[in-house]
Amino acid sequence: MAKNKSFFTVLLDFSFSEFITPRIIGILYALAIFFSAITALGMIIGSFSRGFLPGILGVLIVPIGLLFYVVLIRVGLEGFIVAFRTADNTNRTADNTESLRHP
């Protein structure tokens, strides 16, 4: 796999010989954190609209949920990366053992 192909070349690769996910996984993670934080902020504001005590409970509980959600997103994305690295390593192993199979 050549690593010097442009983003759009890989995007338009209909043979799927190159993967785009490892290139954009950091952006996806950042977007997930951003939208999770916006959602958490909205939940805290919504809890204060119900009163002071629900607002305080929201301030205490929502960040724990946010942290849990971000950890789950991170673990899921790491699973994708592990799968792509396994594919890369399998391809390299196959390339290196090709000469052993056909002397």
Side-chain angles (χ1 to χ4, degrees), residues 4-73:
N4 57 359
K5 290 186 178 179
S6 74
F7 175 79
F8 292 106
T9 302
V10 175
L11 185 64
L12 297 174
D13 177 19
F14 291 101
S15 69
F16 290 91
S17 61
E18 298 283 331
F19 297 122
I20 198 167
T21 305
R23 294 181 184 200
I24 64 169
I25 201 82
I27 296 167
L28 295 175
Y29 184 54
L31 286 172
I33 290 174
F34 175 75
F35 287 116
S36 299
I38 295 296
T39 301
L41 185 60
M43 291 172 71
I44 290 172
I45 291 170
S47 65
F48 271 111
S49 71
R50 291 182 182 87
F52 182 73
L53 185 59
I56 294 300
L57 289 174
V59 167
L60 296 175
I61 295 172
V62 170
I64 295 169
L66 173 65
L67 179 64
F68 181 71
Y69 184 73
V70 168
V71 168
L72 286 178
I73 292 295

Side-chain angles (χ1 to χ4, degrees), residues 88-102:
D88 286 342
N89 290 336
T90 302
N91 284 337
R92 284 196 329 222
T93 301
D95 290 343
N96 290 335
T97 58
E98 185 69 31
S99 63
L100 298 175
R101 286 187 269 157
H102 303 290

